[in-house]
DNA sequence: CAGCCTTTGGTGACCTAGTCACAGACGGAG
DNA sequence: CTCCGTCTGTGACTAGGTCACCAAAGGCTG
């Protein structure tokens, strides 16, 4: 487990011996099945989670049921919201749900605070994570406030497909990802299909013309 | 100036003597006229600013010219984006503009890092600020993604009016505040006027029926 | 004061996105 | 195969954003 930790969190390899001891003693391996809500909007924080494997989706749910994905916590990452909660002793402003089986290390709040107080390396690690997420959130605000849905959808499809040829997701899944409505996504996808950019199947979208989607995804190129 | 500092930043009153020395020596009083861009999107960070007086508006500007206000830095606060930049040695993701004459203390990056490394009190202060802003940003995302413009506008008018009877702002100003378009705000305001909620003048909106606006601002009450 | 210019606000026409309602299609369970 | 829940498609409508343009308010200059 210790080898795991520094393999996946290289930033923690340099941890001071004393800090390393606090970490090892305060940490508890956890495994969570997919679809579990690891924290809910409005609840208090119970542990600082270092994700070793799998992915946690952090999302905001509106009263009317619409949702938007804020970010994902993947191997080698931690959750800013959790950090925020622990440091301010406040409550969560969103919810976290496991998308896959997640294996991780849960660090007790006491140990977390003690590490923050004593370890330069640990602090640097936590702050680094903060910086990345804040940038992400700013980008998200910009996208949501000013972005066009077709561009955002094209970008999302490319991102989710990676090097694969298709995306396995329902229209509803894609809508949540963008904070939009299912019907809007259905219509956009139909339009993409008419334009020969994708092929649609139940629960899957095949990318048939990547270049077209890429052209769509970035408006004036970069 | 020293008395100023702890009067306005009570969290720093408990600063350790050594840290206090670093702060006093690394700090430089600054005064900035209104309308000055203190940092721009894409630029690197030059100093950590402790605002003593006045207010800095932090906003994101899209390519097409539309803007949205992310938050304001007011007396007793600091700018998370600056902190993020300093800690990650990255670049700004938004711009900051003074809205009033601003008086503050600029802390050199070296001194900032040294304080972060050595002072528990200073760290706590910086993290506290982080936590608040991250919550703010999440609320903003929720509003932008799911909120209705009439509700947001009503809330904005009430907030800007404070205890006063009117808001001095052009429709464009209000649009920027909400990340919307001027025409949309003009139409909403006209509608508010027809419903007797406000009276319109050039560059000012008088609130004639606060209760009505309040009812509008919170949908299902709380 | 008159004339001009800039800023601000108003409005119609049109487009994109989100909402509502409902129908049809698919695929797994029995 | 049939039934049923999930997923998708679509029309009709509303909200919000864009474009184009005009008009009124106020300031400035001669």
């Amino acid at each position: 487990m210790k080898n795991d930790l520094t393999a996946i969190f290289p930033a923690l390899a340099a941890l001071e011996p004393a800090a390393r001891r606090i970490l090892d003693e305060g940490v508890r391996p956890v495994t969570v099945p997919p679809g579990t809500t690891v924290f809910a909007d409005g609840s208090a924080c119970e542990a600082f989670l270092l994700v070793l494997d799998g992915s946690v989706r952090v999302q905001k749910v509106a009263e009317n049921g619409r949702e938007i994905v804020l970010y994902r916590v993947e191997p080698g990452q931690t959750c800013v919201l959790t950090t925020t909660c622990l440091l301010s002793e406040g409550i969560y402003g969103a919810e976290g749900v496991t998308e896959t089986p997640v294996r991780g290390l849960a660090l007790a709040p006491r140990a977390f605070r003690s590490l923050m107080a004593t370890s330069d390396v640990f602090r640097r690690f936590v702050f680094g994570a903060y910086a990345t997420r804040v940038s992400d959130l700013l980008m998200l605000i910009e996208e949501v406030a000013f972005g066009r849905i077709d561009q955002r959808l094209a970008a999302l499809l490319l991102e989710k497909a990676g090097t694969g040829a298709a995306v396995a997701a329902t229209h509803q899944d894609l809508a949540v990802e963008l904070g939009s409505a299912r019907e809007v996504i259905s219509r956009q996808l139909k339009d993409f299909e008419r334009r020969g950019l994708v092929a649609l199947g139940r629960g899957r979208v095949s990318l048939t013309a990547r270049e077209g989607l890429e052209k769509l995804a970035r408006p004036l190129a970069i």
Side-chain angles (χ1 to χ4, degrees), chain A residues 6 22 24 38 62 68 72 82 93 145 153 167 200 205-206 221:
Chain A
T6 55
I22 300 177
D24 288 342
V38 287
I68 185 168
R72 287 188 163 70
T82 301
L153 179 56
V167 175
L200 300 179
V205 180
S206 309

Side-chain angles (χ1 to χ4, degrees), chain A residues 148-160 178 189 192 197 207 210 212-218:
Chain A
R148 293 179 49 89
I149 204 75
D150 53 353
Q151 290 168 10
R152 295 179 61 210
L153 179 56
L156 178 65
L157 289 173
L158 289 167
E159 186 202 318
K160 294 206 92 153
L178 300 179
L189 286 173
F192 283 5
L197 301 174
L207 314 196
R210 262 200 147 69
L213 289 172
E214 271 155 11
K215 201 154 68 183
L216 199 61
R218 47 189 158 67

Side-chain angles (χ1 to χ4, degrees), chain A residues 11 19 46 64 67 90-91 93 101-102 110 142 147 155 162-163 166-167 184-185 189 215 218:
Chain A
E46 283 157 34
N64 64 6
E67 310 174 25
I91 54 173
V102 168
R110 267 188 70 90
E142 181 166 27
T163 58
V167 175
V184 173
I185 302 302
L189 286 173
K215 201 154 68 183
R218 47 189 158 67

Side-chain angles (χ1 to χ4, degrees), chain A residues 1-219:
Chain A
M1 191 58 82
K2 294 184 185 177
N3 298 332
D4 260 23
L5 179 68
T6 55
I8 296 175
F9 290 87
L12 293 181
L15 218 53
E16 304 84 348
R20 180 71 212 218
R21 225 169 301 127
I22 300 177
L23 181 65
D24 288 342
E25 281 163 20
V27 107
R28 179 170 50 87
V30 289
T31 311
V32 188
T36 311
T37 301
V38 287
F39 58 85
D41 196 344
S43 68
C45 178
E46 283 157 34
F48 182 75
L49 186 69
L50 297 145
V51 174
L52 296 173
D53 207 64
S55 124
V56 179
R57 186 175 70 237
V58 178
Q59 60 196 358
K60 188 94 191 154
V61 183
E63 325 73 49
N64 64 6
R66 264 176 70 197
E67 310 174 25
I68 185 168
V69 174
L70 300 173
Y71 57 86
R72 287 188 163 70
V73 187
E74 306 200 299
Q77 303 183 335
T78 62
C79 173
V80 240
L81 273 190
T82 301
T83 314
T84 300
C85 271
L86 283 170
L87 292 168
S88 68
E89 306 185 7
I91 54 173
Y92 281 106
E95 67 173 43
V97 181
T98 53
E99 291 195 299
T100 63
V102 168
R103 201 164 53 81
L105 298 171
L107 185 62
R110 267 188 70 90
F112 175 80
R113 290 206 190 86
S114 150
L115 278 169
M116 286 298 288
T118 60
S119 167
D120 210 43
V121 173
F122 190 78
R123 270 196 306 266
R124 209 177 293 275
F125 166 69
V126 170
F127 268 129
Y130 243 113
T132 320
R133 291 305 189 198
V134 169
S135 307
D136 288 355
L137 290 179
L138 290 185
M139 277 180 44
L140 181 60
I141 290 175
E142 181 166 27
E143 279 203 354
V144 171
F146 309 130
R148 293 179 49 89
I149 204 75
D150 53 353
Q151 290 168 10
R152 295 179 61 210
L153 179 56
L156 178 65
L157 289 173
L158 289 167
E159 186 202 318
K160 294 206 92 153
T163 58
V167 175
T170 65
H171 299 182
Q172 177 64 39
D173 293 341
L174 298 171
V176 165
E177 206 78 25
L178 300 179
S180 177
R182 201 262 314 159
E183 300 91 316
V184 173
I185 302 302
S186 286
R187 275 192 258 264
Q188 288 291 341
L189 286 173
K190 255 292 166 250
D191 191 53
F192 283 5
E193 191 179 42
R194 273 189 286 270
R195 288 152 71 181
L197 301 174
V198 301
L200 300 179
R202 192 183 169 88
R204 71 184 286 109
V205 180
S206 309
L207 314 196
T208 51
R210 262 200 147 69
E211 337 72 61
L213 289 172
E214 271 155 11
K215 201 154 68 183
L216 199 61
R218 47 189 158 67

